[in-house]
Amino acid sequence: MAPKKAKKRSADGANSNVFSMFEQAQIQEFKEAFTIMDQNRDGFIDKNDLRDTFAALGRVNVKQEEIDEMLKEAPGPINFTVFLTMFGEKLKGADPEETILNAFKVFDPEAKGVLRKDNLTQMLTTQADRFTPEEMEQMFAAFPPDVAGNLDYKNLVHVITHGEEKDQD
Amino acid sequence: MGCGTSISTEPRGRAMETEEASSPATPSPALTMKAAILIQGWYRRYMARLEMRRRYTWSIFQSIEYAGEQDQLQLSSFFSFMLDNFTHLNGSGPDLISQLLDPVVDPWLGRETTCYELIPVAESYSGPRISFPLSVSHTNGLVNAFKEHQTLHARYALQLLWETKKLLKQMPNIVHMSTSYAKEITVCGDLHGHLDDLLLIFYKNGLPSAETPYVFNGDFVDRGKQSTEVVLILFAYLLLYPNHMHLNRGNHEDHIMNLRYGFTKEVMQKYKTHGREILQLFQDVFSLLPIATVIDSKVLIVHGGISDQTDLDFLNSIERQKVKSALRLPRRSLEEPDVSRPYKQTHGPRPGSSHSRRQRPGAQTKRKRHRGLSRQDSGGSSSSSSSSSSSSLCSSRTPSCLSPRPCSSPPPPTVPFSVDGLQVPFLDSLASLPPPSPPRVEREWKQMVDVLWSDPKPQDGCTPNTFRGGGCYYGPDVTQRLLRHHGYQLLIRSHECKQEGYEICHGGNVITIFSASNYYEEGSNRGAYVKLGQDLLPRFYQYQVSRTTRKLTLTQRVRAAESSALRALQEKLFSHRSELLTGFLPFDHNNTGFVSVSEWAQVLEAVLRLDLPWRTLRPHLARLAPDGSVEYLSCFDYMGPGLHLPQVTPNLAETLVRYRTDLELIFNIIDKDHSGLISLDEFRHTWRLFSGHLGVALDDGAIDALARSIDFNKDGSIDFTEFLEAFRVVHKLDKDH
């Protein structure tokens, strides 16, 4: 979930018309996701819930400012309606494999199929929605580059896309 | 590579070399950024989904675990019932069930010094030997022997337990420790028979000694396969260093829990001849374990937690060994008068009849003689209060077919439940569970149960713990109040498995410490222990036992744990098949076999009551039709019974799968000589009782036919292990192997 993207959504505050944006079944699904995130089951996602979720996603030292910023974007404590407004779209949808492969190919114009580990690191940690060093570490732990320091990104994309598909069976 | 020249023969530059921005092959910064954003978002979404899977996997394991503990109430009420209505199932020998469940008379009474001494140890025995007083070489010997998977001879085990019992009798209910003797005190949580974790703790932290004092906070046994070894080691160190080794009682130091969760079985398997005696002694020792430990009059350590009624002074004053099991109120003394009330008679077992999960006081025990079985009056009144009537035991999980009455909101903890007697079908008439215990006894019992079974919750207040079926959920205010009242600053408890092995809550007032790693599944969680020095600031140490040397990635661990959780869930669905089908009926009048996703989720939650994210789990549990509705019969496709016997109707299969564990326990008890065989008669009789108690409508004829078909060699006896194996639910994929 990219915090910065959420900005444009919730500027107008929570609005119960948000429920009409989604189908009933979708809303039920989001409700479940909300419940999973709401660790202490009090009906609100507060900074502890957010921090725990980040920590569980490998971003252990999320700065308080970052969390506060995310929470600030919401008009009040994040209840389900606000959650839906802020994050609803984020939860659904899978990026097609093609799109992601093309994104990687931007950095591999010769279409070698591999990327240098340090280049990839620099690319992902210095711009846009920067990865933290921990996130990079996590990625390389799950998808280790070879001895020469090359990462087979085609394999990475394939495993994540199709691994997920298989699990959804 | 990557120097900034722009000679055309060089391979085209990579994106980050902005000196070559003019080269047409290099993507523009805008494109680069767009690509980066896509990749970052996509990967993070993948990690978020993984995290969701991990969380609901955890929820599944935990829900099923707690539901199982609740189901235990079911079984214990059956035992109470059996106990009160007949003693011999076999016609010879002492009352086995009483011995195991509720000894009125201590079988070792009057034989205190010679019980174990009579047992010979063969020359050929190569296991560890101990003698008293214990020395360090004995404990080292034990640890090494258990590492090598040796078993301690029954004679020594009994002697060890006997000495432990003697020692514990001298200890108070609440034990006080001080940090002034040693640098740091180590507190460990649930071990649940995980010997590997215990050895790992000793390896990392040192063996118990004057310099390395320990507190083990309960739940040493059950679930894991080496409960015997774990608990014997702990007792040995207790005897060796009584001032530096402290054990608190947990909710699994309870012979009725042990019946279900594996310790009883483990002991019977490892000690074929003396198993029963050993279990008897364990029962005594467990009930003599102290309830709490206090460090420096500042840190309180109990297994579960507290309630808003917890009174430590009162707890310190009770006779703790009277509370043998949290699942049954202590027996009333036999001198107390019988409360007689008329009982009703009906025409035989009624399915779904008056049985409810919630235990209620009943009228006078039925004293009818039937089929040669008679109630042996051990003196005077036979109406013993073996049923638990306190509202500390509550149930929100009653399946619809077994309880026509909806569960009303639980009454306040101190007021015992009082409704009209629970009538239970018994053969061709009804029997009632006996009346409740006097208030003092009940108060003692409730205080103990609260301390052993409660869980903290984030919100203020104190509510009955319906999830577990015993104890309370206590809020930060309850904790604050109790700590303040005694001048304590910290509560350390265990009882709940935590991903990281520990968890801090209630603003730092409560620490949960859990020491069994991989509790639910390989890779599911770490174990931890906490150390307190004179500053009383907790320091946590984590570890994880690993079966493989290769470290699994996060994805692999999540996937492994998830698939295990899903199997457990599929088995649950299968074993509740008929209730689920009944539940779907109102939504599918035309019997099309399809309902909407919402309806499907609704029915599942109503029947199973596991509070799980059903929609998120749906893809793993059921198929969708092209129009988006759920083909609900596909829920049951995954599982099937192990053997195919023609007499096994779907209804019977389901019941047997569901109660497999309970049946196994009962059979184990009946099979006195551990032959693995019980007679057809015993089988029939027990089965009829059990199903009558459950209120499950099963045709007697079907049971008979089943019994006969299981008697493969027609000699009048059933190998019940084989029988039960037939009903072990097998994942369909396994069957193909």
Side-chain angles (χ1 to χ4, degrees), chain B residues 243-477:
Chain B
N243 294 322
H244 308 297
M245 179 77 165
H246 297 276
L247 307 177
N248 284 343
R249 189 176 182 184
N251 66 311
H252 277 265
E253 275 70 56
D254 177 326
H255 60 284
I256 297 193
M257 292 294 277
N258 299 151
L259 280 168
R260 187 186 178 89
Y261 289 101
F263 182 53
T264 307
K265 186 173 169 178
E266 185 187 319
V267 171
M268 295 296 230
Q269 278 172 350
K270 286 177 176 162
Y271 294 98
K272 295 209 160 29
T273 320
H274 296 282
R276 278 188 176 71
E277 297 154 44
I278 292 175
L279 284 169
Q280 182 60 62
L281 259 183
F282 266 120
Q283 191 187 137
D284 293 342
V285 171
F286 285 164
S287 65
L288 277 166
L289 285 168
I291 305 163
T293 304
V294 176
I295 300 180
D296 288 352
S297 304
K298 290 251 173 268
V299 179
L300 174 65
I301 309 175
V302 289
H303 178 72
I306 55 178
S307 75
D308 55 358
Q309 306 284 315
T310 295
D311 182 346
L312 292 178
D313 301 316
F314 176 72
L315 264 174
N316 206 23
S317 72
I318 68 176
E319 286 176 71
R320 65 184 187 272
Q321 73 277 18
K322 276 178 10 197
V323 184
K324 293 276 184 217
S325 166
L327 299 171
R328 299 182 55 187
L329 264 179
R331 243 174 206 242
R332 256 190 356 195
S333 70
L334 296 171
E335 295 77 63
E336 291 188 44
D338 203 342
V339 174
S340 53
R341 269 210 263 162
Y343 58 86
K344 298 182 204 147
Q345 214 154 14
T346 60
H347 303 294
R350 269 192 311 240
S353 62
S354 44
H355 178 72
S356 156
R357 288 280 178 94
R358 204 191 299 247
Q359 312 228 12
R360 294 166 188 185
Q364 163 198 14
T365 308
K366 181 162 160 350
R367 298 155 116 299
K368 190 168 171 180
R369 276 173 147 268
H370 190 86
R371 279 175 139 231
L373 297 170
S374 60
R375 171 131 186 88
Q376 274 193 354
D377 294 336
S378 12
S381 154
S382 59
S383 258
S384 47
S385 57
S386 46
S387 73
S388 322
S389 62
S390 167
S391 52
S392 239
L393 288 176
C394 51
S395 164
S396 64
R397 213 175 284 283
T398 323
S400 42
C401 76
L402 291 183
S403 168
R405 255 170 297 187
C407 273
S408 48
S409 59
T414 46
V415 177
F417 225 34
S418 52
V419 284
D420 35 313
L422 169 63
Q423 305 292 315
V424 184
F426 175 54
L427 299 176
D428 60 359
S429 46
L430 288 177
S432 309
L433 290 178
S437 294
R440 158 103 191 176
V441 169
E442 215 175 283
R443 185 173 177 226
E444 289 178 0
W445 171 84
K446 184 198 184 313
Q447 290 272 333
M448 286 264 309
V449 170
D450 283 345
V451 161
L452 297 179
W453 283 73
S454 300
D455 291 315
K457 59 167 176 163
Q459 303 86 7
D460 279 348
C462 188
T463 48
N465 194 328
T466 48
F467 211 10
R468 300 249 200 194
C472 302
Y473 287 120
Y474 52 100
D477 56 335

Side-chain angles (χ1 to χ4, degrees), chain B residues 71-202:
Chain B
D71 287 346
Q72 184 58 26
L73 291 177
Q74 178 78 31
L75 188 63
S76 70
S77 75
F78 174 62
F79 281 134
S80 301
F81 172 68
M82 274 172 73
L83 191 63
D84 295 330
N85 288 283
F86 55 89
T87 52
H88 297 268
L89 281 180
N90 224 8
S92 61
D95 177 359
L96 165 69
I97 294 173
S98 307
Q99 268 184 22
L100 265 181
L101 299 183
D102 199 57
V104 176
V105 177
D106 187 338
W108 296 118
L109 208 55
R111 296 161 62 189
E112 298 215 356
T113 52
T114 56
C115 50
Y116 52 82
E117 285 167 15
L118 293 177
I119 301 172
V121 179
E123 279 294 309
S124 54
Y125 170 67
S126 58
R129 291 167 192 257
I130 54 178
S131 61
F132 288 81
L134 281 180
S135 70
V136 175
S137 64
H138 290 126
T139 49
N140 287 343
L142 268 181
V143 171
N144 289 330
F146 289 154
K147 260 190 213 165
E148 306 292 321
H149 298 107
Q150 293 177 337
T151 303
L152 181 66
H153 194 280
R155 185 226 191 280
Y156 298 122
L158 283 167
Q159 187 175 14
L160 185 72
L161 288 169
W162 192 252
E163 294 291 328
T164 308
K165 181 176 172 179
K166 277 200 306 200
L167 176 69
L168 288 176
K169 271 188 181 162
Q170 299 162 32
M171 298 176 90
N173 299 347
I174 301 181
V175 173
H176 288 264
M177 282 177 94
S178 166
T179 53
S180 58
Y181 293 124
K183 286 207 303 271
E184 282 178 310
I185 297 178
T186 308
V187 183
C188 298
D190 296 27
L191 284 167
H192 281 300
H194 285 218
L195 181 63
D196 289 344
D197 286 277
L198 179 61
L199 295 176
L200 188 51
I201 295 172
F202 285 164

Side-chain angles (χ1 to χ4, degrees), chain B residues 349-351 646-653 655-656 683-692 695-708 723:
Chain B
R350 269 192 311 240
Q647 294 80 2
V648 179
T649 59
N651 192 26
L652 183 58
T655 309
L656 285 163
F683 172 74
R684 267 196 217 102
H685 190 73
T686 311
W687 179 255
R688 223 172 274 145
L689 266 179
F690 193 66
S691 62
V696 177
L698 283 177
D699 179 9
D700 277 0
I703 296 295
D704 265 7
L706 182 62
R708 267 179 274 117
F723 170 69

Side-chain angles (χ1 to χ4, degrees), chain A residues 32 36 124 130 135 138 167, chain B residues 40 47 614-616 620:
Chain A
E32 275 186 0
I36 293 176
L124 293 176
R130 293 166 207 212
E135 280 177 296
Q138 207 177 59
D167 294 327
Chain B
Q40 287 155 343
M47 291 305 290
W614 297 110
R615 285 171 192 79
T616 314
H620 300 285

Side-chain angles (χ1 to χ4, degrees), chain A residues 1 5 25 28-29 32-33 36-37 39-42 52-53 56-57 59 90-95 99-100 103-104 106-107 109-110 112 119 122-124 126-132 135 138-139 141-143 156-157 160-161 163-164 166-169, chain B residues 1 11-16 25-29 31-56 59 458-459 553-555 559 562 597-598 601 611-617 619-621 638:
Chain A
M1 287 172 264
K5 291 268 181 165
Q28 301 284 19
E29 270 194 62
E32 275 186 0
I36 293 176
M37 269 188 76
Q39 298 261 51
N40 61 3
R41 301 292 182 102
D42 63 356
D52 288 342
T53 307
L57 292 171
R59 301 183 63 191
K90 297 271 153 278
L91 296 173
K92 289 227 64 151
D95 298 290
T99 313
I100 301 300
F104 274 101
V106 166
F107 306 110
E110 293 162 49
K112 284 185 175 170
N119 281 345
Q122 192 172 15
M123 181 193 54
L124 293 176
T126 58
Q127 62 180 324
D129 296 329
R130 293 166 207 212
F131 267 16
T132 63
E135 280 177 296
Q138 207 177 59
M139 184 192 266
F143 301 95
L156 168 82
V157 174
I160 289 182
T161 322
E164 291 240 308
K166 181 178 67 132
D167 294 327
Q168 290 298 318
D169 239 350
Chain B
M1 297 203 72
R12 277 161 281 186
R14 298 191 183 272
M16 301 321 287
T26 314
S28 65
L31 185 61
T32 308
M33 179 162 297
K34 197 168 165 207
I37 289 176
L38 262 173
I39 293 174
Q40 287 155 343
W42 164 83
Y43 192 78
R44 283 191 171 127
R45 205 165 303 139
Y46 164 67
M47 291 305 290
R49 285 216 183 90
L50 204 60
E51 171 59 15
M52 271 196 40
R53 284 164 65 192
R54 193 196 61 71
R55 284 197 196 179
Y56 68 59
S59 294
Q459 303 86 7
T553 65
L554 178 62
T555 316
R559 194 172 285 161
E562 185 191 27
V597 178
S598 288
D611 194 20
L612 291 173
W614 297 110
R615 285 171 192 79
T616 314
L617 294 169
H620 300 285
L621 299 174
Y638 294 96

